[in-house]
Amino acid sequence: MVDTEIKKRDIRKVKSAEIKAFLVENGEKAFRVKQINEWLWKKSAQSFEDMTNLSKGTRQLLDDHFFFSPITINTKQQSNDGTIKSTFKLHDEHLVEGVLIPVPSEPRMTACVSSQVGCSLTCTFCATGKMDRIRNLDPAEIYDQVVAIHNQAEKYFDNPLTNIVYMGMGEPLLNYANVLKSIEYITSPEGLGMSPRRITVSTAGIAKMIKKLGDDEVKFNLALSLHAANDVKRNQIMPINESNTLEALREALKYYFQKTKNPVTYEYIAFNKFNDSLKDAEELYQFCKHLPCKVNIIEYNPIEDAEFTKSEGDRLDKFSEYLRKKGVNVHVRRSRGKDIDAACGQLANKDHAESEIKD
């Protein structure tokens, strides 16, 4: 007996050329693929019924052969400062987190999105680093986070999303192809049309992949989570540094800048009496003086079972002032969303049901 059951495929994992060929083989016009892609990536459709400029017959044909696997919001919590953290459920029941970060008195709305389920880098100060890396997110799963957070920005703050940072769970450069494909969907005129200059990808430092960003001449921004400009200290808190030393990263960043002309952002979490002395500031200056950059000094957000505490105010002030006097473009970032574990380094799918938003 011949098995005639149709094996459906996820429509957002099928290349346009394949969809076009499928349409033609089934008596549809080839131009329908453009309409379908517009629904998928510009209008963010999550079902074939949404595709109202296609005939019922065409929609049924698509539904017979393809399916959607959109992410869903499992829980969402709102901080006292307005920050919203969402736990997103994926089609296989795994969870990732994303954050909407509003800026007071500005129409600036930033989405912090995840690129992996868990993380393999085991940074000692990061809650996600204490999880196993389960799998990479596909481009549509990253795209869906952006759409969901954009919808929250409009619903709760009456403003659209203005910026995206790939600083959530996971190491983006270890999911390179999917991250870049998601950015294509987000920035393309056929997609969400956001400027790549509004997007920042943050890495713990994978030298060869930073060079690949240069070879690909990317237009989005790059941030390096540095946190120490001394190999001994950086090895202690970021094991990735053992195979991607500061010297290797410096050379990769020079190459990246030569290829893209994009300045680099250094993210630097200040830990009390670990990396916040004037000697540490001088080491940071020596590392970052080689190419145009800015330094974001970040207030540490404590996590369970971590040995660090945040830098005390006077130490942080002296540290940042030292760099400014050296001509470094420095910003001290006060963390937002700490009360719901939504701040930098705190994403780990912890349950705080008591603070969930009630729609």
Side-chain angles (χ1 to χ4, degrees):
M1 184 176 179
V2 178
D3 184 3
T4 58
E5 183 180 349
I6 297 171
K7 186 175 181 180
K8 291 188 177 186
R9 292 187 290 169
D10 186 337
I11 185 73
R12 295 189 297 175
K13 291 183 180 178
V14 182
K15 294 179 180 178
S16 290
E18 291 182 68
I19 297 175
K20 183 177 180 179
F22 167 83
L23 291 169
V24 172
E25 287 170 8
N26 285 274
E28 297 283 344
K29 301 294 185 182
F31 72 83
R32 296 289 183 204
V33 71
K34 184 175 180 181
Q35 294 174 306
I36 293 168
N37 281 332
E38 184 177 71
W39 280 109
L40 295 180
W41 305 115
K42 196 178 187 73
K43 298 180 180 179
S44 309
Q46 294 194 349
S47 76
F48 296 111
E49 281 303 304
D50 291 339
M51 301 181 178
T52 51
N53 61 348
L54 301 181
S55 70
K56 287 186 178 181
T58 303
R59 281 180 272 165
Q60 187 61 54
L61 175 67
L62 293 171
D63 193 45
D64 288 342
H65 290 81
F66 302 100
F67 65 89
F68 283 82
S69 55
I71 67 170
T72 58
I73 296 177
N74 193 51
T75 62
K76 57 181 182 289
Q77 308 156 243
Q78 187 159 22
S79 166
N80 294 328
D81 62 27
T83 299
I84 297 175
K85 180 176 73 171
S86 299
T87 302
F88 297 111
K89 182 177 287 188
L90 311 179
H91 68 89
D92 54 8
E93 302 297 310
H94 290 306
L95 302 173
V96 295
E97 292 183 341
V99 183
L100 170 62
I101 309 165
V103 177
S105 71
E106 290 183 30
R108 183 184 177 94
M109 296 281 152
T110 299
C112 176
V113 298
S114 294
S115 56
Q116 296 179 312
V117 182
C119 187
S120 61
L121 297 189
T122 66
C123 297
T124 59
F125 53 85
C126 179
T128 311
K130 296 182 180 296
M131 304 169 64
D132 292 331
R133 188 197 73 82
I134 297 172
R135 69 170 176 86
N136 290 333
L137 297 188
D138 66 41
E141 290 170 327
I142 299 172
Y143 169 95
D144 279 354
Q145 292 176 72
V146 172
V147 172
I149 296 172
H150 166 77
N151 291 341
Q152 290 174 348
E154 293 199 320
K155 178 177 180 179
Y156 295 105
F157 299 98
D158 200 28
N159 281 311
L161 200 61
T162 59
N163 297 77
I164 301 169
V165 293
Y166 284 66
M167 294 183 185
M169 300 169 70
E171 166 53 57
L173 297 192
L174 292 181
N175 187 16
Y176 189 93
N178 287 342
V179 164
L180 262 64
K181 192 66 177 177
S182 72
I183 293 173
E184 179 185 326
Y185 292 142
I186 293 164
T187 59
S188 167
E190 288 75 39
L192 298 181
M194 178 173 278
S195 168
R197 299 299 183 193
R198 297 280 187 170
I199 298 174
T200 299
V201 172
S202 178
T203 177
I206 318 292
K208 67 177 182 180
M209 303 312 292
I210 291 172
K211 288 184 174 180
K212 182 164 175 53
L213 289 173
D215 288 333
D216 289 339
E217 297 183 352
V218 298
K219 303 299 183 187
F220 53 80
N221 303 303
L222 176 66
L224 173 66
S225 295
L226 189 60
H227 311 319
N230 170 307
D231 276 315
V232 174
K233 288 186 177 182
R234 200 164 190 267
N235 288 347
Q236 184 177 337
I237 60 175
M238 302 179 72
I240 188 65
N241 193 70
E242 295 174 10
S243 55
N244 291 265
T245 63
L246 291 170
E247 181 180 356
L249 291 175
R250 184 187 297 114
E251 292 307 309
L253 290 165
K254 285 182 180 178
Y255 182 85
Y256 164 84
F257 178 73
Q258 179 185 14
K259 290 285 190 175
T260 66
K261 304 304 182 207
N262 291 341
V264 175
T265 297
Y266 297 114
E267 306 284 354
Y268 194 96
I269 297 176
F271 304 111
N272 193 47
K273 297 181 180 178
F274 176 77
N275 66 347
D276 62 350
S277 69
L278 295 186
K279 182 175 184 294
D280 294 310
E282 173 62 20
E283 289 173 343
L284 178 54
Y285 166 68
Q286 291 297 328
F287 183 85
C288 69
K289 70 179 184 180
H290 298 285
L291 67 159
C293 67
K294 71 175 179 179
V295 174
N296 285 333
I297 301 175
I298 304 169
E299 179 184 48
Y300 177 56
N301 308 296
I303 62 171
E304 292 179 4
D305 303 322
E307 59 185 278
F308 300 105
T309 57
K310 70 178 183 179
S311 181
E312 296 172 356
D314 58 337
R315 294 180 67 86
L316 194 59
D317 291 343
K318 291 175 183 176
F319 185 93
S320 57
E321 188 58 29
Y322 182 94
L323 292 169
R324 288 191 184 98
K325 287 181 178 178
K326 290 280 191 176
V328 179
N329 182 7
V330 177
H331 299 269
V332 178
R333 279 178 29 200
R334 305 297 176 184
S335 295
R336 298 175 60 76
K338 290 183 289 186
D339 55 315
I340 57 169
D341 292 327
C344 181
Q346 291 186 315
L347 299 188
N349 289 329
K350 290 174 67 177
D351 184 23
H352 292 263
E354 72 279 1
S355 60
E356 286 181 17
I357 299 173
K358 302 301 183 183
D359 288 325

